[in-house]
């Protein structure tokens, strides 16, 4: 969520909306306070359509592309616009407030078209942001929309996988062995010095060039020690982006053949998705974003999956907002660390102003770090590099 506590003045502005502008003034444009007001106005001004009541100022010259401007035929009239609005609400307000506001939008003001019309959903451009929003609202979707949602998930997954998998495979394929060469020509493994040395006999003094008859490539060292990678993913409402990327990464890791992947998602309950970890689409169709957070309970379950602690990596992806017992959380973290499990806690990353920013409970994260878990904010390539460092 953007911003901190709500001031008394801002609270009244949010309650009264445009009707209080003359008396309370208007929040600065572009500020968090102003964006909150615009997001609520966009929704709740629909309650006054047809009642000859309007907020305090004349909006006849308003720009229809601005988020706060009033549509004339309900939120469902412009699905892309409604998606932008949903993203603002999710970004600006706590999960509890977001649930209430989006519930009002669905029940009262015509946003249901976005979640009930397969043709409308099929027309929207697939994106991680759209998918995150739809997964968060999935409990409101009728069964007949499932095929459209699956197609959208597949499109987003394919795009993310195409961008992430080559980098992850390069990072995880092992270090180059300087004294061993491979017959497999891979550009990333090209041995420039070795190729020159092998072809010096073909040097042409007249042209000053070497005629290359044989290219040499380094051999990548394959690790023969079996490693288990447990991905423990928080699926509470604020974690949608991380859940999507985690599902894709689990699929990539499962396809490497060099590690055994175990995938666990949790809120207040724990679901083991290991049998379908190689299929990100099935994983995302199985998630239920929302609810509370019991990190300690999830880590306790993951501890039962550990068979070889010193060759096990447990990656927790969470905002560290623990809703369960803090004592239990720190106890199980310490026990895993003492057993020799390599622990990494990845902070939730949210997209703000085009850049990924970490969002997490710093106090809990610091306590878990003291108990033996490394805490970081890494993108998928950074995670792959970290795993290589641990398993080398």
């Amino acid at each position: 969520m953007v911003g901190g506590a709500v001031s008394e003045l801002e609270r009244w502005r949010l309650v009264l909306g445009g009707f209080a502008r003359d008396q309370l003034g208007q929040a600065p444009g572009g500020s968090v306070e102003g964006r909150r007001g615009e997001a609520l106005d966009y929704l709740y001004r629909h309650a006054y359509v047809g009642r000859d009541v309007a907020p305090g100022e004349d909006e006849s010259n308003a720009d229809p592309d601005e988020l706060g401007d009033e549509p004339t035929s309900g939120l469902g009239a412009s699905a892309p616009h409604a998606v932008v609005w949903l993203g603002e609400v999710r970004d600006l307000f706590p999960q509890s407030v977001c649930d209430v506001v989006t519930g009002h939008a669905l029940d009262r003001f015509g946003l249901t078209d976005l979640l009930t019309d397969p043709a409308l959903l099929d027309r929207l451009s697939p994106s991680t942001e759209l998918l995150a929003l739809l997964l968060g609202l999935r409990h409101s979707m009728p069964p007949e929309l499932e095929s459209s949602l699956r197609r959208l998930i597949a499109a987003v997954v394919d795009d993310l996988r195409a961008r992430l998998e080559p980098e992850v495979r390069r990072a995880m394929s092992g270090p180059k062995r300087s004294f061993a060469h491979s017959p497999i020509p891979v550009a990333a493994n090209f041995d420039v010095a070795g190729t020159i040395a092998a072809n010096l006999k073909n040097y042409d003094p007249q042209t000053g060039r070497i005629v290359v008859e044989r290219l040499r490539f380094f051999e990548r060292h394959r690790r023969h020690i079996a490693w288990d990678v447990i991905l423990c993913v928080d699926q509470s409402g604020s974690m949608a982006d991380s859940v999507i990327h985690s599902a894709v990464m689990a699929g990539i890791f499962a396809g490497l053949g060099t590690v055994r992947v175990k995938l666990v998602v949790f809120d207040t309950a724990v679901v083991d998705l290991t049998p379908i970890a190689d299929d990100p689409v099935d994983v995302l169709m199985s998630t239920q974003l929302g609810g509370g957070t019991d990190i300690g309970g999830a880590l306790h379950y993951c501890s039962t999956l550990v068979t070889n602690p010193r060759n096990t990596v447990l990656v927790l992806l969470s905002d560290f907002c623990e809703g369960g017992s803090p004592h239990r959380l720190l106890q199980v973290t310490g026990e895993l660390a003492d057993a020799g499990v390599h622990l990494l806690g990845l902070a939730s990353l949210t997209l703000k102003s085009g850049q990924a920013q970490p969002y997490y409970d710093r106090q809990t994260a610091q306590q878990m770090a003291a108990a033996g878990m490394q805490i970081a904010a890494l993108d998928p390539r950074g995670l792959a590099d970290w795993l290589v460092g641990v398993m080398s």
Side-chain angles (χ1 to χ4, degrees), residues 21-237:
R21 287 174 185 155
D22 292 341
Q23 292 76 23
L24 301 180
Q26 190 165 351
S31 66
V32 172
E33 182 180 345
R35 288 167 59 200
R36 284 172 176 158
E38 289 175 356
L40 294 184
D41 273 356
Y42 176 74
L43 175 65
Y44 291 111
R45 275 184 293 178
H46 288 74
Y48 299 98
V49 173
R51 299 187 188 181
D52 297 323
V53 181
E57 63 182 55
D58 179 11
E59 299 182 355
S60 59
N61 296 320
D63 182 352
D65 291 328
E66 292 297 325
L67 181 64
D69 294 330
E70 181 176 351
T72 57
S73 57
L75 290 176
S78 175
H81 199 179
V83 169
V84 173
W85 173 79
L86 280 168
E88 277 285 273
V89 170
R90 184 175 141 219
D91 187 36
L92 292 168
F93 296 100
Q95 186 65 37
S96 58
V97 177
C98 181
D99 289 344
V100 172
V101 172
T102 54
H104 288 171
L106 292 170
D107 296 338
R108 304 181 187 180
F109 303 125
L111 190 62
T112 50
D113 287 350
L114 181 62
L115 303 180
T116 58
D117 185 352
L120 181 60
L121 185 57
D122 289 340
R123 289 198 301 269
L124 296 177
S125 299
S127 69
T128 304
E129 293 76 20
L130 173 61
L131 179 54
L133 291 169
L134 292 177
L135 289 177
L137 296 169
R138 191 172 165 219
H139 63 279
S140 303
M141 291 184 176
E144 56 266 25
L145 210 64
E146 182 172 314
S147 60
S148 294
L149 180 60
R150 179 176 284 273
R151 283 194 297 270
L152 188 144
I153 291 175
V156 173
V157 164
D158 289 346
D159 177 66
L160 286 174
R161 191 160 195 160
R163 289 189 280 121
L164 296 175
E165 186 162 11
E167 293 189 0
V168 172
R169 283 188 173 274
R170 278 196 294 272
M172 297 290 291
S173 60
K176 289 183 289 189
R177 298 172 64 193
S178 301
F179 301 103
H181 289 84
S182 169
I184 303 174
V186 179
N189 302 341
F190 181 51
D191 179 7
V192 176
T195 297
I196 293 174
N199 292 277
L200 279 176
K201 62 181 180 180
N202 299 323
Y203 176 71
D204 185 349
Q206 292 184 345
T207 62
R209 295 180 178 178
I210 296 175
V211 178
V212 178
E213 293 181 346
R214 181 185 175 192
L215 299 175
R216 303 192 74 180
F217 297 85
F218 289 118
E219 179 184 356
R220 291 278 181 170
H221 175 64
R222 291 286 179 179
R223 302 177 185 85
H224 298 289
I225 300 176
W227 280 84
D228 291 321
V229 176
I230 304 173
L231 296 178
C232 184
V233 185
D234 183 345
Q235 65 168 351
S236 58

Side-chain angles (χ1 to χ4, degrees), residues 341-352:
V341 176
H342 304 270
L343 301 175
L344 174 65
L346 290 184
S348 170
L349 292 175
T350 57
L351 193 66
K352 304 198 186 308

